[in-house]
Amino acid sequence: MSDPQSLIDSLLRGVMIAGVNRLVFKGQPVFSMGTVNEGVRLGAASVGYDLIVRPAVKQVLPMVPLPNGK
């Protein structure tokens, strides 16, 4: 996940999600610095999740017993 292309993809995905959110739900202009700022925040949160939370969950999850005993 830490390769440069994945980081860029996550940031651009955040900008696209912010643009759709501003257009559909807020009725604000899509092509603005507000969209870029919100998108970078969303992208950075996605990158943080992929780098920090996902590996921790993958490490802990196998140790949790399942209710069906498997």
Side-chain angles (χ1 to χ4, degrees), residues 41-57:
R41 278 199 316 264
L42 290 172
S46 174
V47 169
Y49 176 82
D50 287 341
L51 291 176
I52 298 168
V53 176
R54 187 173 289 174
V57 169

Side-chain angles (χ1 to χ4, degrees), residues 1-66:
M1 167 55 208
S2 62
D3 60 293
Q5 188 62 41
S6 295
L7 299 176
I8 292 170
D9 286 346
S10 292
L11 290 176
L12 290 177
R13 189 178 311 117
V15 172
M16 288 187 300
I17 291 169
V20 170
N21 181 44
R22 286 174 66 93
L23 178 68
V24 173
F25 297 111
K26 296 181 179 179
Q28 297 175 342
V30 175
F31 299 110
S32 67
M33 281 306 296
T35 302
V36 174
N37 290 337
E38 186 177 346
V40 169
R41 278 199 316 264
L42 290 172
S46 174
V47 169
Y49 176 82
D50 287 341
L51 291 176
I52 298 168
V53 176
R54 187 173 289 174
V57 169
K58 284 184 179 180
Q59 185 177 9
V60 171
L61 199 56
M63 293 184 279
V64 176
L66 297 175

